């Protein structure tokens, strides 16, 4: 089995993995339409719930319309005298006043129902968090050390301040069950909280009928970092809570902003991650609309984008007992990426003195920073799963950090990282190339076998196995190294687009190593945009050219060796087809990855030339193989169990075929 065939097999496996990834993460048209309808329903519902003024106006308008209609009926009734008409009209109910409506909708919290809302802030050297007294919630987070791409300008390289949680339709609200209230309770997002700032602490309280009965939200920011201490408390409210109520539903909805250069990829990498107690972290499907039901105590929930996240960490024993998670994909022309909704059910035991201790993380997906929180939040970074994730997290990342400690250029780090990886893989590469040369040496003998056993495939295979054993050649020697190196390639495939360290770092013509590099933006063209994009990636183009050069250099010898193979022509075309396929697939991928692939392939060409032209002497290797054959004949070794069984099976099949042929001749 030659090196070209190994290359084809390797690329075939990579292509199948990529196609599987795309297929699994691509939403169907039905899912897209259903998501749009559900999103519209949620937006309508949210807008209605968030606007007390709208509720009041609608109620008053309905009451006025009803009174006006009744008045017209009275005036049109000819059987009534004018005095009777005036008396009946005077008895008609007037439109409800706002205060009575507030009392009906908010019960003991009617006094906290109406306000314009005022802004309050907490900040340190990393973040500035803005709150609104209406709801006592976060309405904007500015990350001071980061910039996002401005998708409202013509230049795709323009940047602006990076903000999270600043969409007007976002929600962060608790539903407090109350007896004798119209909707069965109140949403904290509809309440007006009184704010009290004390240094780095901001306390919001919404009072009921006296200052001993209130809902409190307390935020505390550190001198540095992205973490807030957050407590939600109920005080003195037990007499208002129905006896049957055993939970406080919590609703958190985030409409994610477009932050990165490539919104399509950022959308696929954005989702809800979560961790249940005594379970490993998990997440909703990234590439399509998804729903998850939580049935255990919830330790944390994270609304995560490609490089930033907003996470709610629940400490203490009062953890939510269940919940539901939903993600909705927004179309490309939307101003936002996704709508993420988390619903949790916090346990309700004693509303006279109930506190939920939590923390809120608002910042970058930095592996070390998230690891320091010590709840497994670093697993939201999509480094991959199983052995691939292990290699990304515990091999490639530490190696990168070591290089970054003294090399300022991230592009240069990629080249050095590539050189180190190719160096580590060189023994496998050498073994693969040596196996390829050995197979070429045996080609004359194998060709003779094909002539001798052209009508006996079983006999042909048995004789081939004997020759391989005599000369110490493994037919899988060219494939196995390629398979063994694939986990490293897949780990790198996930490492570059997920590593915030490469974000907005430039190298050569690439202005952002976590997004595509572009030397020409030709704009939106129907059909072409769907499978190629609106630009030309130079790293991808150069990689494709280098692959053709490698296949031309290395494949010519292999095609000569496989000249008598009926599948040789197909193999030749297949090996050239894969670079073309990846030319389209990788055009919008991270420049860091395509940069690595380009230099890795250039180093591979150099290694191949070095091995075949310098390190391996074909004549000397042929002599060594012949000597090995003679030594094996002089001192035959006992066959291994599987070899003996394999040959025995092949011999039995050959005998069966011969018997079948004899029986046919007799007939």
């Amino acid at each position: 089995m030659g090196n070209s065939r190994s290359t084809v097999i390797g690329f075939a496996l990579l292509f199948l993995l990529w196609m599987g990834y795309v297929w699994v993460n691509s939403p169907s048209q039905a899912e897209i339409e259903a998501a749009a309808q559900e999103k519209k329903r949620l937006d309508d519902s949210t807008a209605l719930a968030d606007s007390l003024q709208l509720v009041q106006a609608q109620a008053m308008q309905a009451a006025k319309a009803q009174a006006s209609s009744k008045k017209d009926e009275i005036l049109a009734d000819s059987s009534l005298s004018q005095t009777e008409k005036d008396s009946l009209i005077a008895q008609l109910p007037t439109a409800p006043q706002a205060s009575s409506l507030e009392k009906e909708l908010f019960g003991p919290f009617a006094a906290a129902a109406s306000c314009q809302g005022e802004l309050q802030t907490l900040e340190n050297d990393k973040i500035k968090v803005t709150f609104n007294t209406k709801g006592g919630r976060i309405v904007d987070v500015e990350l001071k050390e980061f910039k996002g791409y401005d998708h409202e300008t013509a230049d795709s390289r323009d940047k602006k301040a990076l903000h999270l949680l600043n969409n007007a339709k976002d929600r962060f609200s608790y539903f407090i069950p109350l007896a004798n209230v119209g909707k069965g309770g109140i949403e904290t997002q509809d309440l007006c909280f009184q704010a009290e700032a004390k240094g780095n602490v901001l306390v919001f309280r919404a009072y009921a009928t006296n200052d001993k009965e209130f809902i409190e939200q307390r935020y505390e920011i550190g001198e540095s970092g992205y973490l807030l201490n957050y407590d939600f408390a109920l005080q003195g409210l037990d007499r208002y809570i129905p006896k049957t109520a055993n939970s406080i539903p919590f609703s958190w909805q985030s409409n994610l902003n477009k932050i990165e250069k490539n919104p399509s990829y950022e959308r696929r990498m954005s989702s809800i991650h979560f961790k249940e107690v005594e379970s490993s972290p998990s997440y909703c499907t990234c590439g399509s609309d998804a729903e998850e039901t939580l049935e255990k105590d919830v330790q944390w929930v994270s609304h995560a984008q490609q490089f930033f996240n907003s996470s709610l960490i629940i400490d203490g024993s009062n953890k939510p007992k269940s919940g539901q998670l939903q993600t909705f994909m927004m179309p490309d022309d939307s101003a936002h990426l996704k709508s993420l909704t988390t619903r949790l059910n916090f346990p309700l035991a004693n509303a006279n003195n109930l506190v939920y201790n939590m923390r809120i993380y608002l910042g970058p997906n930095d592996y070390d920073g998230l690891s320091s929180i010590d709840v497994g939040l670093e697993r939201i970074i999509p480094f991959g799963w199983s052995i691939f994730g292990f290699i990304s997290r515990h091999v490639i990342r530490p190696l990168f950090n070591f290089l970054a400690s003294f090399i300022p250029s991230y592009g240069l780090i990629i080249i050095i990282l590539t050189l180190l990886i190719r160096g580590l893989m060189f023994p496998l590469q050498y073994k693969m190339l040596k196996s390829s040369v050995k197979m070429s040496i045996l080609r004359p003998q194998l060709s003779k076998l094909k002539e001798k056993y052209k009508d006996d495939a079983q006999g042909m295979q048995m004789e081939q196995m004997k020759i391989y054993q005599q000369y110490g050649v493994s037919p899988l020697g060219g494939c196995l190294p390629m398979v063994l190196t694939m986990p490293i390639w897949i780990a790198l495939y996930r490492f570059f687009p997920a590593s915030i360290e490469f974000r907005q770092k430039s190298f050569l013509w690439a202005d952002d190593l976590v997004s595509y590099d572009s030397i020409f933006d030709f704009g939106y063209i129907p059909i072409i945009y769907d499978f190629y994009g609106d630009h030309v990636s130079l790293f991808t183009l150069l990689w494709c050219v280098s692959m053709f050069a490698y296949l031309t250099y290395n494949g010519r010898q292999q095609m000569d060796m496989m000249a008598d193979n009926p599948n040789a022509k197909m193999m030749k075309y297949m090996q050239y087809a894969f670079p073309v396929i990846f030319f389209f697939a990788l055009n919008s991928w991270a420049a860091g990855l395509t940069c690595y692939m380009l230099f890795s392939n250039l180093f591979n060409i150099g290694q191949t030339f070095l091995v075949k032209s310098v390190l391996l002497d074909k004549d000397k290797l042929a002599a060594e193989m012949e000597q090995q054959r003679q030594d094996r004949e002089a001192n035959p070794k006992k066959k291994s169990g599987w070899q003996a069984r394999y040959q025995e099976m092949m011999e039995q099949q050959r005998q069966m075929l011969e018997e079948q042929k004899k029986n046919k001749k007799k007939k």
Side-chain angles (χ1 to χ4, degrees):
M1 186 176 295
N3 193 33
S4 269
R5 189 174 179 185
S6 304
T7 303
V8 170
I9 293 173
F11 275 115
L13 291 172
L14 292 175
F15 177 69
L16 290 174
L17 284 170
W18 177 78
M19 288 297 293
Y21 172 82
V22 172
W23 180 78
V24 168
N25 290 283
S26 296
S28 65
Q29 185 62 33
E31 289 175 328
I32 294 173
E33 293 175 356
Q37 293 175 359
E38 180 65 12
K39 181 64 171 57
K40 184 178 184 303
R41 185 189 68 79
L42 286 175
D43 287 345
D44 293 344
S45 175
T46 299
L48 182 61
D50 285 345
S51 179
L52 173 62
Q53 289 79 7
L54 178 60
V55 174
Q56 293 172 330
Q58 289 176 337
M60 292 180 182
Q61 186 176 8
K64 287 180 179 179
Q66 185 178 7
S68 177
S69 176
K70 188 65 177 176
K71 180 180 178 180
D72 291 340
E73 290 180 9
I74 294 172
L75 292 174
D77 191 346
S78 58
S79 65
L80 298 175
S81 65
Q82 186 61 43
T83 302
E84 291 174 326
K85 291 179 180 180
D86 292 341
S87 176
L88 290 173
I89 291 174
Q91 297 175 26
L92 290 176
T94 59
Q97 299 299 311
S99 58
S100 63
L101 182 60
E102 289 167 356
K103 189 171 183 179
E104 178 183 347
L105 294 177
F106 293 90
F109 287 92
S114 297
C115 68
Q116 294 296 322
E118 298 178 357
L119 300 182
Q120 302 284 334
T121 61
L122 287 175
E123 65 178 304
N124 58 22
D125 60 330
K126 301 291 185 183
I127 56 175
K128 179 181 180 181
V129 186
T130 302
F131 304 83
N132 195 327
T133 56
K134 185 67 177 290
R137 67 184 186 92
I138 298 171
V139 293
D140 182 64
V141 179
E142 180 184 354
L143 304 186
K144 297 181 178 181
E145 296 183 346
F146 297 92
K147 297 291 184 181
Y149 284 90
D150 190 345
H151 292 278
E152 297 179 356
T153 65
D155 192 339
S156 62
R157 295 169 296 181
D158 288 346
K159 300 179 181 68
K160 62 181 181 180
L162 197 155
H163 292 265
L164 304 175
L165 304 181
N166 64 340
N167 187 276
K169 295 182 179 179
D170 287 352
R171 287 183 62 83
F172 191 93
S173 182
Y174 301 83
F175 181 81
I176 311 299
L178 297 175
N180 303 318
V181 172
K183 295 184 294 183
I186 55 172
E187 292 281 354
T188 58
Q189 185 152 310
D190 296 331
L191 295 179
C192 298
F193 286 75
Q194 297 181 24
E196 182 180 1
K198 295 181 180 179
N200 64 335
V201 177
L202 188 57
V203 178
F204 293 94
R205 283 186 178 180
Y207 290 96
T209 57
N210 59 67
D211 61 1
K212 304 296 183 182
E213 302 171 346
F214 55 83
I215 301 170
E216 179 180 280
Q217 298 186 76
R218 181 182 185 276
Y219 301 87
E220 180 181 1
I221 193 170
E223 294 182 1
S224 185
Y226 302 95
L227 205 60
L228 299 179
N229 290 324
Y230 170 59
D231 296 332
F232 180 84
L234 303 181
Q235 186 69 38
L237 301 182
D238 205 43
R239 68 189 181 107
Y240 302 114
I241 306 294
K243 300 300 182 182
T244 56
N246 57 14
S247 66
I248 295 180
F250 165 74
S251 176
W252 176 21
Q253 181 179 353
S254 302
N255 294 278
L256 304 182
N257 297 328
K258 294 179 179 179
I259 295 175
E260 306 306 327
K261 180 179 178 180
N262 187 352
S264 296
Y265 185 77
E266 184 185 9
R267 182 181 295 109
R268 294 198 301 271
M269 291 295 101
S270 300
S271 189
I272 301 178
H273 295 248
F274 61 93
K275 185 182 185 303
E276 296 172 300
V277 174
E278 298 181 354
S279 297
S280 299
S282 187
Y283 59 93
C284 298
T285 301
C286 294
S288 62
D289 301 331
E291 293 187 14
E292 289 283 345
T293 298
L294 308 181
E295 299 177 345
K296 299 179 181 178
D297 289 5
V298 180
Q299 186 170 2
W300 54 259
V301 176
S302 178
H303 288 192
Q305 295 182 232
Q306 185 178 0
F307 293 113
F308 301 93
N309 76 89
S310 306
S311 300
L312 182 66
I313 305 164
I314 301 96
D315 299 316
S317 58
N318 286 330
K319 289 180 169 57
K321 302 301 180 183
S322 61
Q324 297 81 37
L325 311 175
Q326 293 178 311
T327 67
F328 297 101
M329 300 275 284
M330 297 291 102
D332 288 341
D333 58 357
S334 172
H336 301 94
L337 296 169
K338 273 186 178 180
S339 176
L340 309 181
T341 302
T342 293
R343 296 183 179 89
L344 302 175
N345 296 309
F346 283 85
L348 174 57
N350 178 16
N352 279 334
N353 185 17
L354 179 63
V355 180
Y356 303 122
N357 302 119
M358 293 172 275
R359 288 173 289 170
I360 300 176
Y361 180 87
L362 306 163
N365 297 348
D366 175 72
Y367 190 89
D368 292 332
L370 295 176
S371 297
S372 66
I373 301 175
D374 199 26
V375 292
L377 199 58
E378 69 277 4
R379 295 302 295 271
I380 70 171
I381 303 176
F383 281 141
W385 67 99
S386 187
I387 187 174
F388 312 119
F390 179 86
I391 294 173
S392 289
R393 293 182 183 92
H394 304 296
V395 179
I396 298 174
R397 191 186 63 83
L399 181 58
F400 163 78
N401 289 339
F402 170 73
L403 295 173
S405 65
F406 58 89
I407 300 176
S409 171
Y410 283 76
L412 185 58
I413 290 174
I414 291 176
I415 295 176
I416 295 175
L417 191 65
T418 305
L419 186 60
L420 290 174
I421 292 173
R422 293 304 311 184
L424 292 173
M425 292 167 56
F426 181 71
L428 294 175
Q429 176 79 356
Y430 179 82
K431 183 178 180 180
M432 182 173 67
L433 293 171
K434 186 175 182 179
S435 176
S436 173
V437 175
K438 284 184 176 181
M439 292 294 292
S440 68
I441 293 172
L442 293 179
R443 178 176 173 266
Q445 295 188 51
L446 297 177
S447 297
K448 292 178 181 179
L449 286 179
K450 289 177 181 177
E451 287 295 325
K452 182 178 180 180
Y453 294 94
K454 58 183 178 180
D455 296 325
D456 185 0
Q458 299 293 335
M460 170 68 181
Q461 291 183 24
M462 289 183 63
E463 291 301 319
Q464 278 184 333
M465 286 296 297
K466 289 179 181 178
I467 291 177
Y468 293 150
Q469 292 170 10
Q470 289 173 353
Y471 289 95
V473 176
S474 171
L476 297 177
C479 297
L480 189 58
M482 176 70 76
V483 174
L484 292 176
T485 58
M486 283 186 63
I488 298 177
W489 192 94
I490 296 174
L492 289 167
Y493 174 83
R494 300 303 299 267
F495 175 75
F496 287 111
S499 299
I500 194 171
E501 292 83 358
F502 291 98
R503 182 179 184 268
Q504 295 183 0
K505 295 296 191 298
S506 61
F507 180 61
L508 299 178
W509 54 84
D511 59 353
D512 190 343
L513 288 172
V514 300
S515 187
Y516 58 81
D517 62 299
S518 176
I519 57 166
F520 177 58
D521 295 317
F522 51 81
Y524 176 81
I525 300 177
I527 301 177
I528 293 178
Y529 178 83
D530 293 332
F531 63 87
Y532 184 67
D534 58 0
H535 60 276
V536 177
S537 166
L538 184 56
F539 275 133
T540 303
L541 181 62
L542 292 177
W543 172 81
C544 191
V545 172
S546 70
M547 276 303 303
F548 278 114
Y550 171 75
L551 292 172
T552 301
Y553 166 71
N554 193 59
R556 187 180 296 114
Q557 302 174 38
Q558 303 303 326
M559 288 300 109
D560 290 341
M561 188 185 78
M562 299 173 63
D564 53 354
N565 188 331
N567 297 320
K569 184 174 291 187
M570 182 188 69
M571 295 286 290
K572 177 181 178 180
Y573 290 125
M574 282 184 63
Q575 70 178 5
Y576 285 108
F578 286 114
V580 175
I581 294 172
F582 276 92
F583 171 72
F584 292 97
L586 296 174
N587 187 61
S588 295
W589 211 256
L593 175 67
T594 50
C595 175
Y596 163 81
M597 292 177 65
L598 170 62
F599 285 99
S600 179
N601 203 47
L602 293 176
F603 291 149
N604 184 39
I605 293 173
Q607 286 179 335
T608 302
F609 178 81
L610 176 67
V611 171
K612 288 191 172 183
S613 302
V614 179
L615 299 182
L616 285 180
D617 186 325
K618 190 172 182 179
D619 294 334
K620 184 178 179 180
L621 184 59
E624 291 176 355
M625 291 171 62
E626 178 60 27
Q627 184 62 47
Q628 188 175 26
R629 183 191 67 79
Q630 294 175 6
D631 292 343
R632 287 176 181 269
E633 287 184 352
N635 301 290
K637 294 182 180 180
K638 184 179 179 180
K639 296 177 183 177
S640 63
W642 77 268
Q643 287 179 328
R645 288 193 297 271
Y646 179 77
Q647 287 199 359
E648 182 180 353
M649 180 185 68
M650 296 294 293
E651 179 63 26
Q652 290 175 354
Q653 290 182 356
R654 190 177 68 83
Q655 291 176 0
M656 289 175 60
L657 288 173
E658 289 180 354
E659 288 293 330
Q660 291 175 1
K661 290 179 181 179
K662 290 179 181 179
N663 292 334
K664 287 182 179 180
K665 289 181 179 180
K666 290 179 180 180
K667 293 180 180 179

